[in-house]
């Protein structure tokens, strides 16, 4: 693993008054609150003039009157990663961490992002779009069982189902359909999930995830103590570079910037397939970006300061 250097010291005055945005209205509200609380604590511990804003609980107007020099976005899911908050901040000319409006919206939409990945010859799992009951027969014929059903625009593996046989398909479809009005069906690839974090256009060490559950779902991410995280994910430097290069290509294909995380699934044939890009990854105690940064000796506070610097 080549050495990667990030800044360790910062002048707090260069950031001005920093608004950490967390909470919100999405199904990932609780995770966002935890991320935002941790980030806010880290910034204050380093003398940053930071304060929190939860869009669900108060108006932005109160803070605008006091002045906001930049924003650290820690909103996960809808309202945070879909371009909505980015558009609001741009309308007030407030610099912010992470990707812009269009990149955020495209990355949040798993269908739109897959189509761009394919146009750039990047590998993705086989998939079908399901809008109506009649589409189920096509998914079954093309993908077979098991298959994964997931909402188009949700994070943290919310609303995901592994469907193992035909008589389970309709119930799963109707449940997932309630999220977005459209369902993404993917081939089920039995293997390890690999994630590569990106910060300031550089990749952090990959993480290989092993879970005893059917797949890396919400429980495995936030509630289970049995989930294993191996960092770096590979002893083979060539394989580590392969994932690093693919992550950067995927990130750039959507014109993302600042920081983010690219998730892969690796099957028995060792062939990587891109699942999605997270433009505002979790920053909780169990989150993956802090784990990858720690492998390089970057503590949580320093990580937060480096992410904040991407708003400049």
């Amino acid at each position: 693993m080549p050495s990667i250097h990030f800044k360790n010291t910062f002048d707090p005055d260069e950031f001005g008054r920093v608004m950490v945005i967390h909470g919100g209205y999405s199904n990932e509200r609780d995770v966002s609150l935890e991320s935002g609380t941790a980030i806010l604590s880290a910034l204050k511990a380093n003398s940053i003039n930071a304060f929190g804003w939860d869009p669900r609980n108060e108006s932005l107007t109160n803070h605008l009157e006091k002045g906001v020099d930049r924003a650290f976005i820690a909103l996960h899911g809808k309202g945070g990663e879909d371009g909505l908050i980015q558009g609001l901040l741009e309308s007030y000319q407030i610099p912010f961490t992470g990707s812009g409006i269009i990149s955020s919206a495209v990355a949040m939409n798993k269908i739109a992002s897959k189509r761009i990945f394919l146009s750039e010859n990047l590998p993705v799992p086989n998939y079908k779009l399901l809008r109506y009951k009649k589409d189920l027969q096509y998914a079954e014929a093309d993908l077979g069982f098991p298959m994964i059903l997931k909402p188009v625009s949700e994070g943290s593996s919310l609303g995901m189902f592994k469907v193992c046989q035909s008589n389970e398909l309709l119930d799963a479809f109707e449940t997932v359909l309630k999220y977005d009005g459209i369902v993404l069906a993917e081939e089920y690839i039995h293997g390890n999930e690999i994630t590569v974090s990106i910060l300031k256009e550089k990749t952090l060490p990959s993480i290989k995830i092993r879970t005893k559950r059917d797949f890396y779902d919400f429980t495995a991410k936030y509630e289970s103590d049995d989930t294993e995280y191996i960092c770096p994910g590979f002893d083979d430097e060539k394989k580590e570079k392969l994932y690093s290069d693919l992550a950067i290509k995927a990130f750039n294909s959507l014109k993302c910037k600042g920081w983010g995380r690219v998730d892969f699934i690796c099957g028995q044939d060792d062939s990587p397939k891109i699942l999605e890009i997270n433009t505002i990854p979790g920053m909780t105690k169990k989150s993956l970006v802090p784990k990858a940064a720690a492998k390089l000796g970057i503590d949580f506070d320093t990580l937060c300061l480096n992410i904040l610097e991407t708003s400049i």
Side-chain angles (χ1 to χ4, degrees):
M1 173 66 61
S3 60
I4 302 173
H5 301 287
F6 294 103
K7 286 177 66 174
N8 290 312
T9 58
F10 298 84
D11 176 7
D13 292 337
E14 72 176 315
F15 298 113
R17 193 164 184 263
V18 178
M19 178 168 63
V20 177
I21 310 174
H22 61 158
Y25 299 88
S26 82
N27 292 321
E28 297 178 74
R29 173 177 170 80
D30 289 345
V31 178
S32 174
L33 286 170
E34 188 175 345
S35 289
T37 299
I39 293 164
L40 190 58
S41 176
L43 297 183
K44 287 183 174 180
N46 287 272
S47 302
I48 305 295
N49 182 11
F51 65 95
W53 177 49
D54 183 347
R56 197 181 83 169
N57 292 342
E58 59 179 327
S59 168
L60 178 59
T61 306
N62 296 333
H63 297 300
L64 291 175
E65 290 172 353
K66 299 175 184 177
V68 179
D69 293 300
R70 66 196 64 256
F72 194 128
I73 305 175
L75 284 177
H76 306 316
K78 293 179 179 178
E81 294 182 75
D82 56 5
L84 184 62
I85 195 68
Q86 290 81 4
L88 177 65
L89 293 170
E90 284 202 8
S91 71
Y92 286 106
Q93 298 183 316
I94 299 172
F96 53 87
T97 54
S99 297
I101 301 171
I102 296 175
S103 298
S104 299
V106 173
M108 185 71 180
N109 187 304
K110 296 180 179 68
I111 296 170
S113 57
K114 281 181 188 297
R115 287 173 172 165
I116 292 177
F117 296 151
L118 287 171
S119 75
E120 297 288 329
N121 295 314
L122 295 168
V124 301
N126 294 330
Y127 71 96
K128 297 289 289 185
L129 306 184
L130 312 179
R131 294 183 177 86
Y132 311 104
K133 290 180 183 179
K134 65 181 178 62
D135 296 331
L136 302 183
Q137 60 183 316
Y138 304 118
E140 186 172 344
D142 289 355
L143 303 177
F145 294 105
M147 73 174 75
I148 296 290
L149 298 191
K150 60 177 73 171
V152 171
S153 299
E154 286 288 344
S156 292
S157 299
L158 289 166
M160 282 181 61
F161 286 87
K162 178 184 176 183
V163 181
C164 296
Q165 52 194 27
S166 186
N167 63 3
E168 301 173 351
L169 190 53
L170 179 58
D171 284 347
F173 166 73
E174 290 180 339
T175 300
V176 180
L177 192 66
K178 295 174 183 177
Y179 283 85
D180 296 307
I182 187 171
V183 175
L184 175 63
E186 282 182 344
E187 65 172 320
Y188 174 73
I189 298 175
H190 180 68
N192 293 311
E193 287 205 28
I194 311 293
T195 189
V196 178
S197 301
I198 295 174
L199 175 58
K200 295 180 175 178
E201 301 179 351
K202 300 181 178 73
T203 57
L204 304 181
S206 72
I207 297 177
K208 181 182 293 181
I209 302 157
R210 289 178 178 161
T211 175
K212 295 179 180 179
R213 299 180 64 79
D214 282 341
F215 57 90
Y216 189 48
D217 61 5
F218 186 90
T219 299
K221 288 179 178 179
Y222 299 109
E223 298 171 359
S224 175
D225 293 324
D226 296 330
T227 306
E228 294 182 72
Y229 301 96
I230 299 138
C231 184
F234 303 98
D235 295 327
D236 185 341
E237 288 188 9
K238 289 184 178 179
K239 195 164 289 187
E240 188 75 10
K241 186 177 186 304
L242 168 65
Y243 277 85
S244 174
D245 289 347
L246 282 173
I248 290 292
K249 287 177 181 177
F251 198 73
N252 290 340
S253 74
L254 303 191
K255 302 188 184 304
C256 297
K257 66 178 184 178
W259 74 303
R261 201 187 73 230
V262 185
D263 296 339
F264 300 85
I265 185 73
C266 178
Q268 300 301 311
D269 62 354
D270 255 5
S271 175
K273 301 287 179 70
I274 300 167
L275 292 174
E276 63 180 337
I277 293 179
N278 293 271
T279 54
I280 305 176
M283 290 287 282
T284 72
K285 292 180 180 178
K286 291 195 172 186
S287 293
L288 299 169
V289 176
K291 290 180 189 296
K295 191 66 180 179
L296 296 179
I298 303 169
D299 62 33
F300 187 84
D301 285 15
T302 304
L303 172 62
C304 288
L305 290 167
N306 274 279
I307 294 171
L308 179 60
E309 194 181 38
T310 68
S311 67
I312 296 178

